[in-house]
């Protein structure tokens, strides 16, 4: 009995110590890391990289968040040329993607330096995504989705603390019982003479065996295991099929930053559907031809448009037999079981594209800004106030309500039941 309570004491002490140390070192480290990383990033990387947008090199935020293999990233940053020479498939892929532009070799950076840079970039990127777009009151964007992790961690800490208290209480009970037992058995004297230290040394093995037989201890260990495994699979399941940050390479280097940002072409010039129907839709290449019949006709990227349409810039004629449509890679993709309608949000709800898609006009290449999870939809629906003034949609509904109150005839048609998107996907 005595030994079990000793084991408990030692066990709880060392656990407390480890936990304390871990918390201290974690918080201290994270701060030092990011600050050092920032200095390196600003002095060595900003010439070619930004965190959020593509420049000469890729947007580092999404890039190093998607690529989680830190060993590979470290090798790449320290000496990308070596990786390319060794024909590393990942390195070759990105090298070709960026038209074999060369990144500087940073042999002088230690592994720790690189780790600091990665910590900084990932941290900044996370902050940017957590922040809602400026100037949009009530917008949730990615901010709504802080994910289950923080809640989970606090939950876990709570469970561990409770388990500790239980251990301590049990410990006290055991000690009291022990004293009682010893008094009754009259063994008190005999036992007291052996010093505690010797007792521990003598039967360590027996202790372990006894500890294993102790149902409470075994139960506690199993409980920890179950909680650990459970939370791991919980987090994994939460993140399955969430493609936030997804940024595929498109067949034509079309830039929203140039067209929608610098040239200020309105979103609806190309994505007319967003105001009228369920789908925003990707514009047909004929829309591009409004300008590119004459603009940048020598560019190989623009020639991809010509090829896709079977257009011959010399004769200015289309040959539909030679046309082979561009395969834009779809970025946003809700599963079929969810119905989302753009016009309902953009036209009736007057929600800006940027609330859901981020600052597209600053993106060289579009990426998925919002998580597109059910939680994301629901949170916005709970927080956003609708504006019914001057909206034909609500005027219709209010008129119908009046009629219902007066007992007049109301048909589905009066409630928008003739709109194509109500019945068609
Ligand atoms: C001279 C321009 C230049 C500088 C400076 C530069 N990079 Fe790059 N980086 C590139 C280019 C270009 C690519 C795309 C691949 C290629 O063409 O080599 C790239 C790619 C990357 C990648 C993607 C690798 C992958 O496979 O996912 C990472 C990560 C990266 N750079 C990190 C850094 C860091 C960190 C620094 C600063 C220490 C830095 N870069 C400085 C030009 C640069
Ligand atoms: C000149 C035409 C044009 C204009 C203007 C334009 N876009 Fe696009 N947009 C495209 C094309 C082409 C694609 C498909 C290629 C791509 O993803 O970059 C696209 C793709 C997108 C996508 C990703 C679609 C997917 O695959 O899920 C979003 C979101 C988007 N645009 C939003 C906007 C917003 C918001 C604006 C206004 C700030 C805007 N666009 C202005 C042509 C345009
Ligand atoms: C309102 C006119 C307009 C429309 C519509 C338009 N563009 Fe452009 N685009 C331009 C202009 C102007 C430039 C050149 C800017 C410059 O001088 O670098 C350009 C540049 C480009 C470039 C870069 C070419 C290069 O080599 O630098 C690509 C690629 C491109 N556009 C693709 C598209 C695609 C794809 C569409 C259709 C979805 C489209 N553009 C629609 C005006 C337009
Ligand atoms: C309330 C959030 C929200 C707003 C506001 C919004 N979108 Fe979307 N957008 C989405 C969702 C969700 C999808 C994915 C739809 C799907 O997969 O069926 C999407 C998909 C797209 C696509 C991919 C093609 C398609 O039609 O599915 C384009 C392009 C697009 N949006 C452009 C725009 C433009 C331009 C605006 C502003 C006029 C806008 N969006 C406003 C949430 C929004
Ligand atoms: C940025 C906030 C926002 C987000 C994100 C958002 N919605 Fe909405 N949604 C609204 C608002 C506001 C309305 C009400 C528009 C109106 O009728 O005035 C609405 C209305 C709707 C309606 C019509 C409800 C009705 O009774 O008529 C549906 C369906 C809907 N949203 C689906 C979705 C889905 C699915 C998603 C996620 C993929 C989503 N929404 C994401 C703001 C949002
Ligand atoms: C009240 C629901 C409803 C509304 C509103 C509605 N439709 Fe339909 N539509 C249907 C149904 C159901 C079918 C399938 C009929 C069948 O298969 O015989 C259909 C079939 C179609 C078809 C034929 C598809 C095919 O494969 O043969 C087209 C085209 C069509 N609708 C277009 C529209 C347009 C455009 C609007 C808006 C002006 C609209 N619909 C509004 C219910 C509706």
């Amino acid at each position: 009995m005595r030994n079990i309570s000793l084991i408990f004491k030692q066990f709880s002490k060392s656990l407390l110590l480890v936990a304390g140390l871990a918390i201290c070192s974690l918080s201290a480290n994270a701060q030092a890391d990011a600050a050092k990383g920032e200095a390196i990033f600003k002095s060595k990387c900003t010439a070619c990289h930004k965190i959020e947008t593509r420049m000469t090199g890729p947007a580092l935020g999404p890039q190093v968040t998607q690529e989680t293999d830190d060993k590979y990233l470290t090798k790449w940053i320290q000496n990308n040329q070596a990786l390319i020479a060794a024909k590393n498939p990942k390195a070759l892929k990105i090298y070709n993607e960026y038209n074999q532009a060369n990144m500087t070799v940073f042999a002088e950076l230690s592994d720790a330096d690189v780790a600091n840079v990665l910590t900084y970039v990932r941290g900044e990127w996370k902050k940017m995504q957590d922040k809602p777009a400026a100037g949009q009151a009530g917008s949730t964007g990615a901010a709504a989705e802080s994910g289950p992790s923080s809640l989970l961690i606090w939950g876990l800490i709570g469970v561990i603390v409770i388990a500790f208290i239980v251990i301590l209480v049990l410990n006290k009970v055991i000690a009291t019982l022990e004293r009682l037992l010893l008094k009754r058995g009259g063994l008190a004297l005999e036992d007291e003479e052996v010093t505690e230290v010797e007792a521990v040394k003598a039967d360590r093995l027996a202790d372990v065996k006894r500890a294993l037989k102790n149902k409470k201890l075994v139960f506690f260990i199993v409980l920890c295991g179950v909680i650990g495994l459970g939370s791991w699979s919980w987090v994994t399941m939460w993140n399955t099929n969430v493609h936030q940050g997804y940024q595929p390479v498109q067949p034509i280097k079309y830039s929203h930053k140039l067209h929608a940002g610098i040239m200020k072409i309105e979103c609806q010039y190309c994505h007319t559907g967003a105001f009228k129907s369920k789908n925003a839709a990707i514009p047909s290449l004929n829309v591009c031809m409004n300008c590119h019949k004459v603009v940048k006709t020598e560019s190989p990227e623009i020639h991809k448009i010509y090829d896709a349409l079977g257009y011959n810039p010399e004769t200015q004629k289309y040959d539909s037999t030679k046309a082979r449509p561009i395969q834009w890679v779809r970025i946003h993709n809700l599963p079929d079981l969810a119905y989302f309608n753009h016009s309902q949000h953009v036209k009736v709800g007057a929600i800006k594209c940027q609330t859901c898609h981020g600052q597209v006009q600053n993106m060289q290449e579009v990426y998925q800004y919002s998580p597109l999870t059910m939680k994301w939809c629901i949170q916005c629906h709970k927080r956003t106030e609708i504006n019914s003034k001057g909206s034909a949609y609500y005027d219709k509904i209010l008129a119908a309500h009046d009629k219902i109150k007066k007992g007049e005839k109301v048909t589905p048609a009066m409630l928008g039941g003739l709109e194509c998107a109500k019945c068609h996907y």
Side-chain angles (χ1 to χ4, degrees):
M1 273 302 201
R2 156 97 45 84
N3 292 329
I4 292 174
S5 69
L6 261 175
I7 289 180
F8 264 133
K9 258 182 216 155
Q10 287 181 341
F11 177 67
S12 357
K13 262 190 209 155
S14 43
L15 217 63
L16 268 176
L17 198 71
V18 170
L21 278 177
I23 289 170
C24 292
S25 64
L26 256 180
S27 50
N29 252 348
Q31 276 170 1
D33 280 359
K36 279 188 209 154
E38 181 175 10
I40 299 175
F41 178 77
K42 291 206 164 134
S43 65
K44 295 190 192 281
C45 315
T46 43
C48 301
H49 290 286
K50 270 192 169 178
I51 290 178
E52 75 282 21
T53 49
R54 176 177 168 156
M55 291 217 307
T56 315
L60 276 194
Q63 190 77 18
V64 303
T65 308
Q66 273 158 30
E67 175 60 75
T68 48
D69 182 353
D70 282 6
K71 261 194 200 147
Y72 161 77
L73 284 176
T74 309
K75 275 193 198 146
W76 169 273
I77 292 167
Q78 287 170 342
N79 192 345
N80 69 88
Q81 296 301 317
L83 279 179
I84 293 166
K87 297 212 168 21
N88 176 304
K90 273 192 210 164
L92 279 184
K93 183 167 171 278
I94 188 133
Y95 185 56
N96 290 327
E97 222 173 277
Y98 283 79
N99 300 323
Q100 315 207 329
N102 281 332
M103 174 165 142
T104 325
V105 168
F106 294 102
E108 74 274 21
L109 293 181
S110 69
D111 289 9
D113 289 338
V114 173
N116 291 345
V117 173
L118 292 179
T119 308
Y120 166 71
V121 172
R122 283 171 184 154
E124 286 298 297
W125 176 235
K126 192 161 185 304
K127 268 190 236 155
M128 287 176 194
Q129 287 189 308
D130 287 348
K131 237 183 262 161
Q136 274 159 22
S139 81
T140 49
E145 191 77 2
S146 61
S149 48
S150 61
L151 196 83
L152 223 116
I153 287 168
W154 284 114
L156 267 181
I157 291 176
V159 169
I160 290 176
V161 167
I162 291 171
F164 257 129
I165 295 172
V166 170
I167 287 183
L168 290 180
V169 171
L170 281 178
N171 208 4
K172 275 267 180 297
V173 173
I174 288 171
T176 322
L177 281 178
E178 209 179 345
R179 232 174 288 138
L180 262 175
L181 268 179
L182 287 176
K183 259 188 206 160
R184 274 214 197 147
L187 291 167
L189 274 176
E190 209 180 302
D191 234 28
E192 225 73 54
E193 277 162 17
V194 192
T195 65
E196 280 198 351
V197 181
E198 275 171 339
V200 172
K201 269 190 194 160
D203 45 15
R204 271 254 155 95
L205 205 73
D207 283 350
V208 175
K209 275 188 193 154
R210 238 175 294 164
L212 279 178
K213 276 195 196 133
N214 183 310
K215 287 203 183 112
K216 279 171 201 135
L217 185 64
V218 173
F219 175 73
F220 176 65
I221 293 171
V222 172
L223 185 74
C224 283
V226 169
I227 291 172
L229 208 71
S231 43
W232 173 78
S233 42
W234 177 256
V235 170
T236 315
M237 283 192 286
W238 261 105
N239 291 324
T240 313
N241 260 327
V242 176
H243 302 291
Q244 194 170 16
Y246 177 52
Q247 187 181 35
V249 179
Q250 300 291 353
I252 298 182
K253 282 208 166 64
Y254 166 76
S255 159
H256 276 80
K257 190 177 181 180
L258 174 65
H259 291 83
I262 297 167
M263 298 199 302
K264 296 203 163 40
I265 307 177
E266 282 187 28
C267 312
Q268 75 200 85
Y269 182 84
C270 292
H271 301 292
T272 355
F275 292 81
K276 290 193 218 150
S277 67
K278 176 180 180 290
N279 290 315
I282 303 301
S284 81
L285 291 177
N286 295 319
V287 175
C288 316
M289 288 299 275
N290 291 345
C291 298
H292 285 292
K293 226 174 181 173
V294 287
V295 176
K296 281 263 173 188
T297 50
E298 76 297 341
S299 158
E301 290 299 320
I302 302 304
H303 275 259
K304 287 186 193 165
I305 301 178
Y306 297 164
D307 292 348
L309 289 167
Y311 174 76
N312 184 337
E314 266 132 47
T315 59
Q316 305 217 342
K317 289 225 168 67
Y318 292 93
D319 178 355
S320 56
T321 57
K322 285 191 187 147
R324 43 192 164 77
I326 292 282
Q327 309 261 325
W328 299 111
V329 183
R330 189 173 177 125
I331 302 164
H332 300 77
N333 216 344
L334 280 182
D336 287 344
L337 51 85
Y339 177 83
F340 177 83
N341 188 317
H342 269 94
S343 62
Q344 211 159 33
H345 291 86
V346 175
K347 191 95 187 281
V348 182
I351 301 171
K352 292 219 170 72
C353 314
Q354 284 80 354
T355 308
C356 298
H357 292 297
Q359 304 297 318
V360 175
Q361 73 281 6
N362 296 335
M363 297 179 192
Q364 199 81 28
E365 279 176 68
V366 184
Y367 59 83
Q368 185 179 319
Y369 170 82
S370 297
L372 260 58
T373 54
M374 177 164 155
K375 183 180 172 190
W376 172 72
C377 313
I378 301 269
Q379 281 192 338
C380 185
H381 282 191
K382 282 189 181 160
R383 288 174 191 169
T384 313
E385 198 178 337
I386 53 167
N387 180 6
S388 57
K389 285 215 182 75
S391 156
Y393 175 82
Y394 284 102
D395 288 348
K396 225 189 274 172
I397 290 184
L398 288 175
H401 276 223
D402 282 344
K403 286 195 169 185
I404 291 171
K405 268 194 208 151
K406 286 184 206 146
E408 288 172 26
K409 181 176 129 188
V410 173
T411 58
M414 293 175 189
L415 295 165
L418 299 186
E419 283 158 34
C420 319
K422 291 254 168 160
C423 300
H424 291 289
Y425 276 80

